Structure formats: C-alpha cells, structure tokens
Amino acid sequence: MIRTKIIATGACVPEQVITNEDLSKIVDTSDEWITTRTGIKERHISKGENTSVLAIGTAKMVMERAKVAPEDVDLVIVASVTPDYGTPTLGCMIQKELGLVNAVAFDVVAACSGFMFAMSVADKYIKTGVYRNAIIIGAETLSKIINWEDRATCVLFGDGSGGAFVEASEEGGILAEELGSKGELWEILTEGHINCANAFNDLKIEDDPEYFVHMDGRSVFKFATKTVVKSVANVLEKVGLTKEDINYVVPHQANSRIIDVVADKLDMDRDKFYMNMDRYGNTSSASVPMALNEMNEKGMIKRGDKILLTGFGGGMTWGTMLIEW
Ligand code: COA
C-alpha cells in the first residue's frame, strides 16, 4: 500500500529574538504573567524578512536534506495566514527561487491547523499516484498582523517556518488523520480583514480595525482543549491503536496550559508531548513542523515511531495526523 512518508524536515526563523522582558517595555505586562499563562519566554520577530524568505529557507533545507534535485519536485504546498501577497502564492515564490520547474505550487489556509491540512492534500495526490513527492511548508510572519498595543494578543505570537519533504513509500507514513472545521465559531479568532474601500465609497483600507489579530482567549482555550482531545481519540480509534502505542505527540505550540489540560484529559504521559513554545511562541501553521524538525535534529525520533501531529486554530479548524516514522 502506498503511503506518504516524511523523508526530511527543516525550519527557518528570523534572527531577532524578543524576550518577555522586551515586551514589558512596550505594553503593560510581565515575564511572570506571560510565563505562567502561556509557557512562552521568547519569540523570533522579523526585522523585515517577509514570510517568503522563511518559507524559501525551509524549502531549501528540506530539499538538501532529502537530496532531491529541483526538477524532481512534483508538488509544493504552503500553509500560511500571512503570505507576502494575495497573489502570487508563497508556493509559486518558492518554485521560482529554487527552480522547481516541473512542480505545481499552491497555498492552503487553515490557520494553525494549516500544516496538517497541507499534508492531507499532498497525501491524497501521492496515494492516488498523481504525484510522487511534495514539499510541505508552514510559514508565518505573524508580527505584521499583530496589534503591538494589545497586551492580550501581542505576547502570544512569533514568526517562523517549518516543513517537510514527503514522498510515496511502501512502509511507514501517514496512517490516519482527522481534519475538521467549525465555521459557526469563526468570530472568536480573526486576523487580516480587508475592507471594501474603493473610489466610490468613504472607506479607507488603513482604517480597518479588524486587520490585526483579534481573539476571545477563553473561548479559544475551551475550543482547543475539547477539540484536540476528541480528535486524538478519534484518530487512534480509526487505526485501532491506544495511547500506549504512541511515542510522541507534537501539538500546536499555542500555550503550555492547553497541552497540560489535553495530556490530563487523555490520561497521557506529559513527557510524550513535545514543547518548544518557550523559545518560539505561537507561530501558527509553522509551529507543528518547527517542533517536529527540532525533535528530528535532536535525534529523538527513530524508525517505526508513531507520532501524532495535532493542531487547532482560526476558522475554527483542527487537524490530527498519525504518522509512522
Ligand atoms: N500581561 C498582563 N496582564 C494581561 C495580559 C498580559 N499580556 N493579557 C491580559 N492580561 C490581563 C487581562 O487584562 C485581565 O485583567 P483583568 O482581570 O484586570 O481584566 C487578566 O489578565 C486576565 O485576562 P484573561 O484574558 O481572562 O486571562 P486568561 O487567564 O484567560 O489568559 C490567555 C489569557 C490568552 C493566555 C488564555 O485565554 C489562552 O491561552 N487562550 C488560548 C489562546 C490561544 O491558544 N490562541 C491561539 C489559538 S491558535
């Protein structure tokens, strides 16, 4: 049976590091508040690098690690809510920069669940034999859509990119998945609204207050804990596995308290949940592949390991994927 297997991982972040202490100089907050509420200590913030720079850096790294030639790449899918442009897509920008002349490239939008959505799309093409391989990237420059005067949101997010090179394989790969969306809750987490300013009305693009991230933190917390727990249980049930069969969970790195609740409700060993939000904050679609890459670089993952990737985000959306390494 043909499955979609991760062959290589990579990541790329801006150099500039902003600590909780740095943030306390621009808004009324403290290291103590941010650390106890979220587990975040610092994050990488763009000095001007846009999302394409991070996405291209990651794509280059995964290609080098997978030892694949540019003309042999079939598909590029980027998940992002903060692309450089409405068009071209980040996928097309990667294609040009890396000379992927035979690839088809496009982006998907599913906020912090984006990496799982992009992997799922690639999986369908690969399983059906349409394409043999793909570069899958999650990339964000959230710093450009954050209101830096809103302490309730500006302390949570960071910039970064992570990704993987996947290809058709007879062993391992994606074993099961669940994607979901609950549009009725979309208003609890929004960003990037573009109003209808034109030459024949009084609206002004720059006057749109909804351009920046807006979040009802408590509702998102409730949604996240409930949804991730159910989704992980559903995916395990699909393949007839139990939590004891799982080596690691790579959750969306939004908040360590959400992960504590999820681990508790699933009655799973907290040590199986990988976390690096202390150094990167919430990087939306980049968070799961960045964490997976870090584990891979540390040599934590061995052949045959079963790993759950799981995320939730704006939409509202969620995605859980069980992979065998
Ligand atoms: N520093 C200091 N105080 C802050 C603050 C900050 N950065 N942000 C908010 N506060 C204050 C609030 O103003 C409020 O003060 P008040 O009681 O005087 O009104 C108080 O802290 C409590 O605020 P509240 O929003 O109720 O805090 P909370 O315990 O719900 O924690 C979050 C806030 C955002 C950390 C929490 O709701 C959360 O983690 N939600 C999920 C967010 C998430 O995961 N988003 C990403 C989705 S992909």
Side-chain angles (χ1 to χ4, degrees):
M1 183 182 179
I2 296 291
R3 291 218 186 93
T4 304
K5 186 173 164 118
I6 293 178
I7 301 302
T9 62
C12 178
V13 294
E15 257 179 49
Q16 176 172 247
V17 174
I18 298 295
T19 64
N20 292 347
E21 205 56 50
D22 296 329
L23 284 174
S24 70
K25 291 176 189 145
I26 63 164
V27 287
D28 182 13
T29 190
S30 64
D31 176 47
E32 198 265 334
W33 193 96
I34 303 171
T35 306
T36 52
R37 294 293 213 290
T38 70
I40 299 165
K41 300 291 279 181
E42 55 188 43
R43 69 287 291 144
H44 290 248
I45 296 291
S46 169
K47 264 201 153 173
E49 309 93 321
N50 214 330
T51 310
S52 61
V53 173
L54 308 177
I56 289 164
T58 298
K60 198 161 178 268
M61 188 182 281
V62 301
M63 280 177 63
E64 279 166 11
R65 290 177 172 179
K67 297 185 175 55
V68 62
E71 59 276 15
D72 291 335
V73 176
D74 289 349
L75 177 65
V76 182
I77 309 180
V78 184
S80 182
V81 293
T82 50
D84 299 21
Y85 296 95
T87 185
T89 61
L90 290 163
C92 287
M93 293 174 85
I94 291 173
Q95 177 177 31
K96 178 186 175 192
E97 194 62 29
L98 301 184
L100 313 179
V101 288
N102 295 315
V104 60
F106 57 91
D107 292 3
V108 298
V109 181
C112 310
S113 319
F115 184 73
M116 277 63 72
F117 275 62
M119 285 279 284
S120 175
V121 174
D123 181 46
K124 306 304 168 293
Y125 282 121
I126 289 173
K127 264 191 190 151
T128 51
V130 177
Y131 300 121
R132 293 159 302 156
N133 63 45
I135 294 173
I136 311 296
I137 307 280
E140 306 288 1
T141 316
L142 295 164
S143 58
K144 68 186 178 186
I145 45 101
I146 283 165
N147 176 356
W148 289 99
E149 292 176 359
D150 176 17
R151 67 176 182 174
T153 53
C154 78
V155 302
L156 303 175
F157 299 97
D159 300 334
S161 166
F165 186 83
V166 299
E167 67 181 24
S169 170
E170 297 272 340
E171 48 182 46
I174 298 171
L175 304 182
E177 65 169 39
E178 178 183 274
L179 302 183
S181 48
K182 202 172 174 71
E184 70 199 65
L185 293 179
W186 71 263
E187 281 162 300
I188 68 173
L189 179 54
T190 61
E191 65 89 352
H193 182 257
I194 298 171
N195 66 21
C196 283
N198 66 44
F200 300 96
N201 66 34
D202 296 330
L203 296 171
K204 293 208 170 15
I205 286 181
E206 61 274 19
D207 288 348
D208 192 342
E210 286 189 90
Y211 180 74
F212 297 110
V213 172
H214 174 78
M215 183 178 68
D216 171 352
R218 291 199 170 187
S219 299
V220 172
F221 196 101
K222 223 183 285 171
F223 169 84
T225 47
K226 203 168 139 195
T227 308
V228 171
V229 168
K230 198 153 177 253
S231 180
V232 165
N234 288 345
V235 167
L236 288 178
E237 197 185 325
K238 276 185 191 182
V239 281
L241 294 178
T242 68
K243 56 189 192 226
E244 284 74 28
D245 298 311
I246 301 304
N247 299 89
Y248 296 109
V249 183
V250 186
H252 171 43
Q253 306 287 311
N255 182 316
S256 60
R257 284 196 305 151
I258 291 178
I259 295 170
D260 289 342
V261 173
V262 168
D264 199 45
K265 285 198 179 166
L266 285 168
D267 192 20
M268 275 180 88
D269 184 355
R270 173 79 157 48
D271 291 344
K272 286 188 177 180
F273 288 73
Y274 190 77
M275 288 201 259
N276 65 0
M277 83 277 288
D278 58 326
R279 283 164 290 124
Y280 298 106
N282 177 349
T283 56
S284 191
S285 66
S287 93
V288 169
M290 277 171 62
L292 186 67
N293 176 60
E294 199 170 277
M295 295 169 70
N296 198 15
E297 285 181 349
K298 284 182 180 170
M300 291 172 64
I301 313 173
K302 55 184 192 315
R303 201 187 168 95
D305 275 357
K306 292 191 176 61
I307 303 170
L308 277 165
L309 313 179
T310 185
F312 59 90
M316 298 300 284
T317 58
W318 68 92
T320 300
M321 189 164 265
L322 175 63
I323 58 172
E324 186 178 302
W325 204 253

